[in-house]
Amino acid sequence: MVLLALPLALGACDANGPETAAAPPAGSPTPAPKHITVVAPELTDCGTWTVAQGEQLESAAADCLVEAVERRERARLIVTAFSVEGAPVLNSYLVHADGRVTVTIDSSGDPAGAEGLVWQNCGGPVRVIGPLPIFAECSTPRPL
């Protein structure tokens, strides 16, 4: 099975594994999809996107993530893409200040998907081809 996109369960990651990021304070406005805003001090929200099969991630979202990695600025991006079978896969990307990116993939909604919920650290140059970012190097995915 080929997964086109998996959303990340927004989380920071250290040597011990992912941590859940704090939710915005109650009463905070929720950014609209396809809108890039700062959602926490020094954390840029590159948006929450759904990309249909055969489509590309919006250039604003792709540019936001690539620039955050290059500048080593904290940012997040969430992309729902679809497996070959049409099941949604949630991919979350959390850029850390050191340029490392924690990627969380949730394929639990895909009956043909074997991995479920996993995370990995990625780094190096990043490009966005099709619905998802592609990194120069990533650790082996670990169950969450």
Side-chain angles (χ1 to χ4, degrees), residues 24-82:
S28 295
T30 302
K34 300 185 179 184
H35 187 256
I36 299 171
T37 60
V38 175
V39 294
E42 300 177 20
L43 176 67
T44 299
D45 185 357
C46 296
T48 300
W49 303 81
T50 298
V51 182
Q53 286 185 355
E55 290 186 0
Q56 298 249 132
L57 180 62
E58 292 285 333
S59 62
D63 293 346
C64 179
L65 181 74
V66 169
E67 290 171 11
V69 171
E70 290 173 352
R71 294 180 182 160
R72 297 177 178 251
E73 295 174 350
R74 296 182 63 229
R76 70 177 179 180
L77 170 68
I78 301 172
V79 180
T80 299
F82 296 87

